[in-house]
Amino acid sequence: MSRKPLIAANWKMYKTPAEAKAFVDAFLPLVAGHTRDEIALFPSVTSLATVVEAVAGSNVLAGLQNMHYAEEGAYTGETSATMLKAVGATHTLIGHSERRQYFNETDSIVNKKLHTALIHGIVPIVCVGEHLHEREAGLTGSVLLAQLKGALADIKPADASSIVIAYEPVWAIGTGKTATPEMAIGAHMIIRAEIANILDSSVARAIRILYGGSVKPDNATDLLDQDEINGALVGGASLKPDSFASIVKY
Ligand code: 13P
């Protein structure tokens, strides 16, 4: 099964363009010639053009942390798919738990954004994951199922090959509490089975499912060595070039 791992840096609301450029300048030599995994950086919107320019010609890709579903319009503060592509970016995160939590992003909005990303040929990383109280109540499976059903509504299997899913349990994000490989594998298997139901089994086999939530250099190997874990979405530990490079080279 050739699911090339994707190791992605979600910088959240950190780094000015100058800081982003300094990161890339230090990071590229650390991962030069690394072809086992895809590598992508997700800076803030104001640093995107700088990062795209700085990674040009390298083995590192760039995307946005969020994108609006509309083609254009009166949506103050938002960024369209066309704008993302015009800058030269290729990827977007969709439905990160922080967007769901603080910006009221619902499964239906996630679904609209996914349709727009696919229409524009932008690689979407759709984030799903349960809260601690849901895990403790035994609801992890049903939460993931509902999020996937919502996100993938009316997506055709033939259009789905570029979709990446990131399993990010909310209780593991920014807390230092990582899911064990067993917990992540369990969730990834639920996600893959559900994608087979909603789309089809060949999409489910091929789709990459990343793990995110307190991935650090010292736990990356345990997680990423698993066949079911096809990469990582890294927050805090992606902010320093050496730390993110050592995760990439787990
Ligand atoms: P941390 O790696 O800081 O826990 O963040 C994970 C995350 O939200 C990546 O999208």
Side-chain angles (χ1 to χ4, degrees):
M1 179 51 56
S2 67
R3 293 190 292 244
K4 187 170 185 171
L6 169 60
I7 317 291
N10 174 9
W11 286 348
K12 308 193 178 183
M13 202 169 72
Y14 293 97
K15 293 194 191 296
T16 62
E19 290 164 346
K21 173 80 168 68
F23 176 103
V24 175
D25 288 348
F27 179 67
L28 289 186
L30 302 177
V31 297
H34 184 93
T35 53
R36 180 193 57 188
D37 311 274
E38 283 180 7
I39 308 166
L41 305 176
F42 292 81
S44 66
V45 69
T46 59
S47 293
L48 184 63
T50 302
V51 168
V52 167
E53 199 173 311
V55 301
S58 78
N59 53 341
V60 177
L61 305 160
L64 258 187
Q65 299 168 14
N66 175 44
M67 185 197 82
H68 201 273
Y69 54 78
E71 287 302 316
E72 60 182 0
Y75 297 103
T76 300
E78 293 290 324
T79 310
S80 73
T82 303
M83 293 167 182
L84 184 161
K85 278 175 58 179
V87 169
T90 49
H91 289 54
T92 188
L93 304 184
I94 297 179
H96 190 281
S97 69
E98 287 150 17
R99 298 224 41 99
R100 294 177 189 258
Q101 198 169 342
Y102 305 129
F103 304 98
N104 302 320
E105 200 155 305
T106 60
D107 289 329
S108 140
I109 293 172
V110 168
N111 176 247
K112 287 184 185 169
K113 291 183 173 185
L114 181 56
H115 279 277
T116 300
L118 295 178
I119 287 166
H120 286 268
I122 295 165
V123 178
I125 302 182
V126 178
C127 306
V128 296
E130 80 288 359
H131 288 266
L132 184 59
H133 64 91
E134 293 166 333
R135 174 164 282 271
E136 288 176 345
L139 296 173
T140 300
S142 56
V143 168
L144 295 176
L145 200 144
Q147 290 176 334
L148 288 167
K149 272 205 174 115
L152 298 172
D154 299 321
I155 299 289
K156 295 189 181 63
D159 299 333
S161 62
S162 70
I163 298 174
V164 179
I165 305 289
Y167 169 59
E168 297 207 305
V170 181
W171 50 269
I173 294 176
T175 58
K177 287 188 200 134
T178 318
T180 62
E182 293 70 30
M183 288 160 106
I185 291 167
H188 287 209
M189 288 172 72
I190 291 170
I191 291 168
R192 210 176 288 286
E194 196 47 35
I195 290 170
N197 282 338
I198 300 170
L199 297 169
D200 67 34
S201 54
S202 69
V203 172
R205 269 195 303 276
I207 207 160
R208 291 178 292 181
I209 306 176
L210 318 184
Y211 168 77
S214 297
V215 176
K216 309 283 178 207
D218 63 4
N219 60 28
T221 307
D222 275 356
L223 290 159
L224 290 164
D225 262 353
Q226 314 297 330
D227 282 348
E228 260 305 327
I229 303 179
N230 316 125
L233 184 52
V234 187
S238 75
L239 292 169
K240 295 236 161 62
D242 52 349
S243 158
F244 188 52
S246 74
I247 293 173
V248 167
K249 296 196 276 189
Y250 64 90

